[in-house]
PDB file of all heavy atoms in Angstrom:
ATOM      1  N   GLY A1121     226.813 -32.726  70.404  1.00  0.00           N
ATOM      2  CA  GLY A1121     225.708 -32.038  69.767  1.00  0.00           C
ATOM      3  C   GLY A1121     225.864 -30.544  69.608  1.00  0.00           C
ATOM      4  O   GLY A1121     224.937 -29.871  69.151  1.00  0.00           O
ATOM      5  N   LEU A1122     227.026 -29.995  69.996  1.00  0.00           N
ATOM      6  CA  LEU A1122     227.238 -28.550  69.909  1.00  0.00           C
ATOM      7  C   LEU A1122     228.514 -28.255  69.133  1.00  0.00           C
ATOM      8  O   LEU A1122     229.401 -29.116  69.035  1.00  0.00           O
ATOM      9  CB  LEU A1122     227.345 -27.940  71.298  1.00  0.00           C
ATOM     10  CG  LEU A1122     226.090 -27.994  72.162  1.00  0.00           C
ATOM     11  CD1 LEU A1122     226.384 -27.521  73.569  1.00  0.00           C
ATOM     12  CD2 LEU A1122     224.971 -27.150  71.529  1.00  0.00           C
ATOM     13  N   PRO A1123     228.632 -27.055  68.559  1.00  0.00           N
ATOM     14  CA  PRO A1123     229.871 -26.708  67.826  1.00  0.00           C
ATOM     15  C   PRO A1123     231.071 -26.724  68.756  1.00  0.00           C
ATOM     16  O   PRO A1123     230.953 -26.457  69.946  1.00  0.00           O
ATOM     17  CB  PRO A1123     229.602 -25.282  67.321  1.00  0.00           C
ATOM     18  CG  PRO A1123     228.115 -25.102  67.401  1.00  0.00           C
ATOM     19  CD  PRO A1123     227.646 -25.957  68.545  1.00  0.00           C
ATOM     20  N   PRO A1124     232.250 -27.090  68.235  1.00  0.00           N
ATOM     21  CA  PRO A1124     233.452 -27.050  69.067  1.00  0.00           C
ATOM     22  C   PRO A1124     233.772 -25.646  69.531  1.00  0.00           C
ATOM     23  O   PRO A1124     233.460 -24.657  68.841  1.00  0.00           O
ATOM     24  CB  PRO A1124     234.546 -27.593  68.136  1.00  0.00           C
ATOM     25  CG  PRO A1124     234.023 -27.347  66.762  1.00  0.00           C
ATOM     26  CD  PRO A1124     232.538 -27.484  66.857  1.00  0.00           C
ATOM     27  N   VAL A1125     234.354 -25.534  70.716  1.00  0.00           N
ATOM     28  CA  VAL A1125     234.744 -24.256  71.281  1.00  0.00           C
ATOM     29  C   VAL A1125     236.241 -24.104  71.005  1.00  0.00           C
ATOM     30  O   VAL A1125     237.066 -24.812  71.570  1.00  0.00           O
ATOM     31  CB  VAL A1125     234.461 -24.219  72.804  1.00  0.00           C
ATOM     32  CG1 VAL A1125     234.972 -22.942  73.413  1.00  0.00           C
ATOM     33  CG2 VAL A1125     232.959 -24.379  73.031  1.00  0.00           C
ATOM     34  N   VAL A1126     236.585 -23.177  70.115  1.00  0.00           N
ATOM     35  CA  VAL A1126     237.971 -23.014  69.672  1.00  0.00           C
ATOM     36  C   VAL A1126     238.373 -21.545  69.738  1.00  0.00           C
ATOM     37  O   VAL A1126     237.559 -20.649  69.833  1.00  0.00           O
ATOM     38  CB  VAL A1126     238.136 -23.529  68.220  1.00  0.00           C
ATOM     39  CG1 VAL A1126     237.801 -25.021  68.146  1.00  0.00           C
ATOM     40  CG2 VAL A1126     237.263 -22.736  67.254  1.00  0.00           C
ATOM     41  N   ALA A1127     239.682 -21.330  69.685  1.00  0.00           N
ATOM     42  CA  ALA A1127     240.223 -19.972  69.669  1.00  0.00           C
ATOM     43  C   ALA A1127     241.420 -19.930  68.738  1.00  0.00           C
ATOM     44  O   ALA A1127     242.220 -20.858  68.699  1.00  0.00           O
ATOM     45  CB  ALA A1127     240.637 -19.525  71.084  1.00  0.00           C
ATOM     46  N   ARG A1128     241.537 -18.847  67.977  1.00  0.00           N
ATOM     47  CA  ARG A1128     242.709 -18.579  67.194  1.00  0.00           C
ATOM     48  C   ARG A1128     243.526 -17.486  67.887  1.00  0.00           C
ATOM     49  O   ARG A1128     242.962 -16.610  68.568  1.00  0.00           O
ATOM     50  CB  ARG A1128     242.339 -18.131  65.783  1.00  0.00           C
ATOM     51  CG  ARG A1128     241.826 -19.261  64.905  1.00  0.00           C
ATOM     52  CD  ARG A1128     241.143 -18.702  63.668  1.00  0.00           C
ATOM     53  NE  ARG A1128     242.038 -17.998  62.770  1.00  0.00           N
ATOM     54  CZ  ARG A1128     242.654 -18.573  61.716  1.00  0.00           C
ATOM     55  NH1 ARG A1128     242.476 -19.854  61.478  1.00  0.00           N
ATOM     56  NH2 ARG A1128     243.434 -17.866  60.932  1.00  0.00           N
ATOM     57  N   TYR A1129     244.841 -17.553  67.713  1.00  0.00           N
ATOM     58  CA  TYR A1129     245.655 -16.462  68.272  1.00  0.00           C
ATOM     59  C   TYR A1129     245.231 -15.152  67.622  1.00  0.00           C
ATOM     60  O   TYR A1129     244.905 -15.100  66.432  1.00  0.00           O
ATOM     61  CB  TYR A1129     247.135 -16.735  67.998  1.00  0.00           C
ATOM     62  CG  TYR A1129     247.675 -17.872  68.827  1.00  0.00           C
ATOM     63  CD1 TYR A1129     248.009 -19.089  68.254  1.00  0.00           C
ATOM     64  CD2 TYR A1129     247.867 -17.714  70.201  1.00  0.00           C
ATOM     65  CE1 TYR A1129     248.493 -20.133  69.016  1.00  0.00           C
ATOM     66  CE2 TYR A1129     248.350 -18.759  70.969  1.00  0.00           C
ATOM     67  CZ  TYR A1129     248.673 -19.967  70.365  1.00  0.00           C
ATOM     68  OH  TYR A1129     249.138 -20.983  71.133  1.00  0.00           O
ATOM     69  N   HIS A1130     245.260 -14.090  68.407  1.00  0.00           N
ATOM     70  CA  HIS A1130     244.755 -12.807  67.912  1.00  0.00           C
ATOM     71  C   HIS A1130     245.538 -12.277  66.743  1.00  0.00           C
ATOM     72  O   HIS A1130     245.029 -11.520  65.929  1.00  0.00           O
ATOM     73  CB  HIS A1130     244.735 -11.801  69.054  1.00  0.00           C
ATOM     74  CG  HIS A1130     243.665 -12.084  70.080  1.00  0.00           C
ATOM     75  ND1 HIS A1130     243.294 -11.175  71.031  1.00  0.00           N
ATOM     76  CD2 HIS A1130     242.886 -13.178  70.289  1.00  0.00           C
ATOM     77  CE1 HIS A1130     242.334 -11.693  71.804  1.00  0.00           C
ATOM     78  NE2 HIS A1130     242.082 -12.908  71.380  1.00  0.00           N
ATOM     79  N   TRP A1131     246.829 -12.666  66.646  1.00  0.00           N
ATOM     80  CA  TRP A1131     247.644 -12.178  65.543  1.00  0.00           C
ATOM     81  C   TRP A1131     247.524 -13.063  64.307  1.00  0.00           C
ATOM     82  O   TRP A1131     248.073 -12.735  63.270  1.00  0.00           O
ATOM     83  CB  TRP A1131     249.104 -12.080  65.942  1.00  0.00           C
ATOM     84  CG  TRP A1131     249.627 -13.243  66.745  1.00  0.00           C
ATOM     85  CD1 TRP A1131     249.844 -13.266  68.085  1.00  0.00           C
ATOM     86  CD2 TRP A1131     249.963 -14.554  66.275  1.00  0.00           C
ATOM     87  NE1 TRP A1131     250.292 -14.501  68.489  1.00  0.00           N
ATOM     88  CE2 TRP A1131     250.393 -15.300  67.392  1.00  0.00           C
ATOM     89  CE3 TRP A1131     249.967 -15.144  65.011  1.00  0.00           C
ATOM     90  CZ2 TRP A1131     250.801 -16.621  67.290  1.00  0.00           C
ATOM     91  CZ3 TRP A1131     250.365 -16.469  64.914  1.00  0.00           C
ATOM     92  CH2 TRP A1131     250.788 -17.193  66.038  1.00  0.00           C
ATOM     93  N   ALA A1132     246.842 -14.187  64.424  1.00  0.00           N
ATOM     94  CA  ALA A1132     246.814 -15.154  63.319  1.00  0.00           C
ATOM     95  C   ALA A1132     245.642 -14.916  62.404  1.00  0.00           C
ATOM     96  O   ALA A1132     244.501 -15.122  62.779  1.00  0.00           O
ATOM     97  CB  ALA A1132     246.756 -16.598  63.892  1.00  0.00           C
ATOM     98  N   LYS A1133     245.911 -14.468  61.196  1.00  0.00           N
ATOM     99  CA  LYS A1133     244.884 -14.263  60.185  1.00  0.00           C
ATOM    100  C   LYS A1133     245.223 -15.063  58.950  1.00  0.00           C
ATOM    101  O   LYS A1133     246.329 -14.929  58.388  1.00  0.00           O
ATOM    102  CB  LYS A1133     244.781 -12.780  59.809  1.00  0.00           C
ATOM    103  CG  LYS A1133     244.513 -11.847  60.998  1.00  0.00           C
ATOM    104  CD  LYS A1133     243.139 -12.085  61.592  1.00  0.00           C
ATOM    105  CE  LYS A1133     242.860 -11.101  62.730  1.00  0.00           C
ATOM    106  NZ  LYS A1133     241.535 -11.320  63.343  1.00  0.00           N
ATOM    107  N   GLY A1134     244.301 -15.913  58.494  1.00  0.00           N
ATOM    108  CA  GLY A1134     244.554 -16.713  57.313  1.00  0.00           C
ATOM    109  C   GLY A1134     245.181 -18.050  57.657  1.00  0.00           C
ATOM    110  O   GLY A1134     245.217 -18.496  58.789  1.00  0.00           O
ATOM    111  N   THR A1135     245.705 -18.738  56.650  1.00  0.00           N
ATOM    112  CA  THR A1135     246.299 -20.064  56.797  1.00  0.00           C
ATOM    113  C   THR A1135     247.741 -19.912  57.240  1.00  0.00           C
ATOM    114  O   THR A1135     248.351 -18.834  57.155  1.00  0.00           O
ATOM    115  CB  THR A1135     246.263 -20.805  55.456  1.00  0.00           C
ATOM    116  OG1 THR A1135     247.119 -20.107  54.533  1.00  0.00           O
ATOM    117  CG2 THR A1135     244.856 -20.861  54.901  1.00  0.00           C
ATOM    118  N   PRO A1136     248.372 -21.004  57.739  1.00  0.00           N
ATOM    119  CA  PRO A1136     249.790 -20.924  58.092  1.00  0.00           C
ATOM    120  C   PRO A1136     250.666 -20.435  56.955  1.00  0.00           C
ATOM    121  O   PRO A1136     251.599 -19.658  57.164  1.00  0.00           O
ATOM    122  CB  PRO A1136     250.114 -22.382  58.474  1.00  0.00           C
ATOM    123  CG  PRO A1136     248.829 -22.928  58.955  1.00  0.00           C
ATOM    124  CD  PRO A1136     247.773 -22.303  58.099  1.00  0.00           C
ATOM    125  N   LYS A1137     250.375 -20.854  55.710  1.00  0.00           N
ATOM    126  CA  LYS A1137     251.156 -20.417  54.566  1.00  0.00           C
ATOM    127  C   LYS A1137     251.037 -18.919  54.372  1.00  0.00           C
ATOM    128  O   LYS A1137     252.020 -18.215  54.120  1.00  0.00           O
ATOM    129  CB  LYS A1137     250.702 -21.144  53.298  1.00  0.00           C
ATOM    130  CG  LYS A1137     251.481 -20.734  52.049  1.00  0.00           C
ATOM    131  CD  LYS A1137     250.979 -21.498  50.834  1.00  0.00           C
ATOM    132  CE  LYS A1137     251.733 -21.061  49.578  1.00  0.00           C
ATOM    133  NZ  LYS A1137     251.232 -21.790  48.381  1.00  0.00           N
ATOM    134  N   GLU A1138     249.824 -18.387  54.504  1.00  0.00           N
ATOM    135  CA  GLU A1138     249.608 -16.967  54.330  1.00  0.00           C
ATOM    136  C   GLU A1138     250.321 -16.163  55.435  1.00  0.00           C
ATOM    137  O   GLU A1138     250.857 -15.070  55.179  1.00  0.00           O
ATOM    138  CB  GLU A1138     248.110 -16.652  54.358  1.00  0.00           C
ATOM    139  CG  GLU A1138     247.391 -17.152  53.109  1.00  0.00           C
ATOM    140  CD  GLU A1138     245.865 -17.080  53.268  1.00  0.00           C
ATOM    141  OE1 GLU A1138     245.383 -16.995  54.421  1.00  0.00           O
ATOM    142  OE2 GLU A1138     245.172 -17.126  52.246  1.00  0.00           O
ATOM    143  N   ILE A1139     250.330 -16.707  56.650  1.00  0.00           N
ATOM    144  CA  ILE A1139     251.021 -16.046  57.739  1.00  0.00           C
ATOM    145  C   ILE A1139     252.513 -15.934  57.447  1.00  0.00           C
ATOM    146  O   ILE A1139     253.118 -14.876  57.594  1.00  0.00           O
ATOM    147  CB  ILE A1139     250.791 -16.782  59.070  1.00  0.00           C
ATOM    148  CG1 ILE A1139     249.325 -16.647  59.480  1.00  0.00           C
ATOM    149  CG2 ILE A1139     251.676 -16.228  60.172  1.00  0.00           C
ATOM    150  CD1 ILE A1139     248.966 -17.487  60.676  1.00  0.00           C
ATOM    151  N   ILE A1140     253.096 -17.036  57.004  1.00  0.00           N
ATOM    152  CA  ILE A1140     254.519 -17.042  56.695  1.00  0.00           C
ATOM    153  C   ILE A1140     254.831 -16.096  55.542  1.00  0.00           C
ATOM    154  O   ILE A1140     255.819 -15.361  55.556  1.00  0.00           O
ATOM    155  CB  ILE A1140     254.990 -18.467  56.385  1.00  0.00           C
ATOM    156  CG1 ILE A1140     254.861 -19.332  57.651  1.00  0.00           C
ATOM    157  CG2 ILE A1140     256.423 -18.473  55.879  1.00  0.00           C
ATOM    158  CD1 ILE A1140     255.146 -20.794  57.419  1.00  0.00           C
ATOM    159  N   GLU A1141     253.961 -16.091  54.508  1.00  0.00           N
ATOM    160  CA  GLU A1141     254.178 -15.203  53.358  1.00  0.00           C
ATOM    161  C   GLU A1141     254.129 -13.747  53.760  1.00  0.00           C
ATOM    162  O   GLU A1141     254.763 -12.905  53.149  1.00  0.00           O
ATOM    163  CB  GLU A1141     253.136 -15.476  52.286  1.00  0.00           C
ATOM    164  CG  GLU A1141     253.341 -16.828  51.583  1.00  0.00           C
ATOM    165  CD  GLU A1141     252.245 -17.145  50.599  1.00  0.00           C
ATOM    166  OE1 GLU A1141     251.192 -16.462  50.652  1.00  0.00           O
ATOM    167  OE2 GLU A1141     252.415 -18.083  49.804  1.00  0.00           O
ATOM    168  N   ARG A1142     253.397 -13.414  54.815  1.00  0.00           N
ATOM    169  CA  ARG A1142     253.340 -12.038  55.277  1.00  0.00           C
ATOM    170  C   ARG A1142     254.505 -11.703  56.198  1.00  0.00           C
ATOM    171  O   ARG A1142     254.612 -10.584  56.678  1.00  0.00           O
ATOM    172  CB  ARG A1142     252.034 -11.797  56.062  1.00  0.00           C
ATOM    173  CG  ARG A1142     250.788 -11.780  55.197  1.00  0.00           C
ATOM    174  CD  ARG A1142     249.646 -11.071  55.936  1.00  0.00           C
ATOM    175  NE  ARG A1142     249.405 -11.649  57.229  1.00  0.00           N
ATOM    176  CZ  ARG A1142     248.521 -12.651  57.460  1.00  0.00           C
ATOM    177  NH1 ARG A1142     247.844 -13.163  56.451  1.00  0.00           N
ATOM    178  NH2 ARG A1142     248.343 -13.106  58.684  1.00  0.00           N
ATOM    179  N   GLY A1143     255.351 -12.692  56.472  1.00  0.00           N
ATOM    180  CA  GLY A1143     256.517 -12.445  57.296  1.00  0.00           C
ATOM    181  C   GLY A1143     256.336 -12.753  58.760  1.00  0.00           C
ATOM    182  O   GLY A1143     257.268 -12.615  59.539  1.00  0.00           O
TER     183      GLY A1143
END
Side-chain angles (χ1 to χ4, degrees):
L1122 294 172
V1125 175
V1126 299
R1128 286 166 66 93
Y1129 290 108
H1130 289 193
W1131 43 256
K1133 303 293 183 181
T1135 66
K1137 180 179 179 181
E1138 290 169 340
I1139 292 173
I1140 294 173
E1141 288 175 348
R1142 289 199 306 268

